[in-house]
Amino acid sequence: MKVLICGAGIAGLTLAWHLERAGWEVELVEKAAAFRDGGYMIDFYGPGYQVAERMGLRPRLQRDRYPVDELSYVDRDGRQTSHLKLTSGLEDVVSLLRGDLARAIADDVRSPVTYGATVEAADQHAGGVSVRLTDGTTREVDLLVGADGTRSRVRELAFGEVTPRYLGHRVSAYVMTDAELSHRVGTRYQMLTEPGLMAGAYALRDDRLALLFLRREPDPVLSDDPAGELRRHFGGRGWILPEALARCPRPPELYHDLVTQVELERWHRGRIALLGDACQAVSLFAGHGASMAMAAAWILADELTTPGELTTSGDLTAPGHLTAPGELTDALARYQYRMTPVITEVQRFGRRFIQWMAPSSRWRIHARDLLFRLAALPGGNRLFVNSLSPGGHNLITSRSNVLEKS
């Protein structure tokens, strides 16, 4: 069985890892000219972390993780207004750059990746899918998977134009090197929030600093000058922002996008399936996109292979009785059935959490600061952690049935 995966991000790479070990012939295509490093800091846990452990990635992720010992809010003068010590309750959460997680998976994927190309056309027929890429080459495959993000080209080919649900905010992120600023921020996640604005920073290794910006904006049209836009809206806000934004890069080093969710009734059509943000985007506000991407990839691979073929080691298994072409539709339907409930829950949580992560008014900022002070009381740390996860931290991390067939 041959599969072409469009998108070499976390979802696409995870699917490739599993299918190649089950004997599939796998190829990936990626629109970006090269592997995409960097991105913003994520808290990685839940079903996705369980998948990473099954893939043998735990030692690599523990090596690449960053210690986050405090969440801290500051004012324009850099004075702390509220904070929360993270000394307990987050032992099973790994904080790392999104790009570092993708790199850990990519380093263990053996299938070829064609960079600088994407899917231009796809024609389904009785024997498979004829795919034409933007570089002019063609492929004949049994299955085409679109793991190509919220603006998925594969989704457009299969379902026509789909408008993601805009959550009223723009997000930007970049990594810079500055020993003084990195030392000043330290091993704590610092944030400055004002109504409709949030800027966060965290120190990385090698004197680097990761920065994240959120801004409320009703117009869902991206600026042609995202660096200039950041300077206009954040440059006069004090703290470390004037120095940091003076060296703000341009895309692609500067990540800049709309905060959206993707909601579809169907994730597949014939021999074309969608994965990750192409059909399941939960948004930055939900904070579980990477975990959901890896969980969904595991489930899709599980349905496309016979029992026992998903290994926990890096060794290739002997190809078993792979899913026959006529069984693909049923396998894809089961994949969606298993994954839909948790995606729906996490998306709902993301929409509720907007007002806490990016408060729209002063009173909401004061309410958040009060929550932090309550969290400092005995037992408050665990309550706070539960409030930051859909259904509670324990539920999302212990829900093993998300990864198991019912």
Side-chain angles (χ1 to χ4, degrees):
M1 297 285 282
K2 295 182 179 180
V3 59
L4 179 66
I5 302 172
C6 183
I10 290 171
L13 289 168
T14 303
L15 180 63
W17 191 100
H18 291 300
L19 290 184
E20 68 186 15
R21 282 159 175 76
W24 284 61
E25 185 176 336
V26 181
E27 182 182 359
L28 300 101
V29 294
E30 169 57 51
K31 184 177 181 180
F35 180 85
R36 291 175 293 182
D37 281 302
Y40 44 81
M41 186 74 71
I42 63 171
D43 288 330
F44 182 57
Y45 61 100
Y49 189 70
Q50 295 175 24
V51 172
E53 287 187 306
R54 297 181 187 191
M55 294 167 65
L57 296 178
R58 181 185 175 94
R60 172 72 176 265
L61 299 185
Q62 292 295 328
R63 185 200 76 183
D64 292 344
R65 71 183 303 174
Y66 286 92
V68 179
D69 54 24
E70 181 179 281
L71 297 177
S72 175
Y73 284 94
V74 299
D75 61 18
R76 292 191 179 197
D77 295 320
R79 292 190 298 259
Q80 183 173 274
T81 60
S82 62
H83 73 285
L84 177 69
K85 287 288 186 181
L86 302 178
T87 55
S88 62
L90 293 176
E91 295 86 355
D92 51 356
V93 177
V94 175
S95 297
L96 75 169
L97 289 174
R98 189 179 186 91
D100 288 346
L101 174 59
R103 176 66 75 181
I105 306 167
D107 285 349
D108 209 22
V109 169
R110 300 148 185 175
S111 303
V113 183
T114 300
Y115 286 100
T118 189
V119 174
E120 185 172 51
D123 177 30
Q124 298 195 60
H125 50 81
V129 188
S130 299
V131 182
R132 185 174 72 251
L133 304 183
T134 52
D135 63 6
T137 60
T138 60
R139 306 287 191 276
E140 287 291 334
V141 297
D142 297 292
L143 176 67
L144 171 64
V145 177
D148 48 344
T150 58
R151 297 181 181 85
S152 171
R153 171 60 177 165
V154 175
R155 184 185 65 214
E156 181 182 9
L157 292 172
F159 296 99
E161 184 176 355
V162 174
T163 302
R165 180 174 185 168
Y166 179 51
L167 299 187
H169 289 76
R170 299 182 187 183
V171 57
S172 302
Y174 63 93
V175 174
M176 61 181 292
T177 300
D178 188 299
E180 194 276 328
L181 290 182
S182 180
H183 178 74
R184 193 191 311 179
V185 172
T187 57
R188 55 188 172 178
Y189 194 74
Q190 286 196 327
M191 289 163 281
L192 182 149
T193 54
E194 297 187 359
L197 297 172
M198 190 281 284
Y202 183 78
L204 306 177
R205 287 178 281 271
D206 302 320
D207 295 331
R208 295 178 300 155
L209 187 70
L211 294 117
L212 175 70
F213 301 86
L214 275 171
R215 181 171 68 85
R216 182 180 295 271
E217 173 55 64
D219 185 5
V221 178
L222 288 174
S223 169
D224 293 332
D225 181 19
E229 182 179 83
L230 284 178
R231 294 187 186 101
R232 286 194 301 274
H233 290 280
F234 291 90
R237 305 286 171 173
W239 185 38
I240 65 169
L241 299 181
E243 299 101 307
L245 288 171
R247 297 164 56 190
C248 178
R250 294 183 177 276
E253 288 77 17
L254 170 62
Y255 169 77
H256 182 65
D257 206 352
L258 306 176
V259 181
T260 60
Q261 293 181 339
V262 176
E263 301 164 302
L264 290 178
E265 291 186 4
R266 293 188 62 192
W267 298 351
H268 55 92
R269 175 160 291 171
R271 293 172 176 270
I272 299 177
L274 302 177
L275 177 67
D277 283 352
C279 61
Q280 306 155 1
V282 296
S283 84
L284 174 70
F285 292 118
H288 300 274
S291 180
M292 295 297 99
M294 292 191 72
W298 167 276
I299 291 173
L300 177 55
D302 189 32
E303 293 296 346
L304 291 172
T305 57
T306 56
E309 289 181 322
L310 294 181
T311 70
T312 57
S313 70
D315 297 328
L316 284 169
T317 62
H321 298 289
L322 303 179
T323 307
E327 298 173 324
L328 282 175
T329 299
D330 289 343
L332 298 178
R334 292 193 300 269
Y335 146 67
Q336 179 171 345
Y337 176 80
R338 291 171 65 185
M339 198 67 201
T340 293
V342 69
I343 291 296
T344 300
E345 178 185 351
V346 175
Q347 287 183 330
R348 287 173 179 167
F349 167 79
R351 295 192 292 271
R352 294 195 305 268
F353 196 63
I354 291 175
Q355 290 293 355
W356 293 105
M357 187 172 181
S360 60
S361 62
R362 293 288 179 188
W363 78 263
R364 288 189 180 275
I365 294 175
H366 293 320
R368 181 211 60 209
D369 290 344
L370 176 61
L371 177 64
F372 270 57
R373 287 192 287 271
L374 292 174
L377 299 175
N381 184 283
R382 169 55 65 180
L383 293 174
F384 181 79
V385 169
N386 287 347
S387 74
L388 297 183
S389 298
H393 176 75
N394 288 335
L395 176 63
I396 201 72
T397 54
S398 64
R399 183 185 277 163
S400 59
N401 63 318
V402 170
L403 304 180
E404 305 299 337
K405 293 180 180 178
S406 58

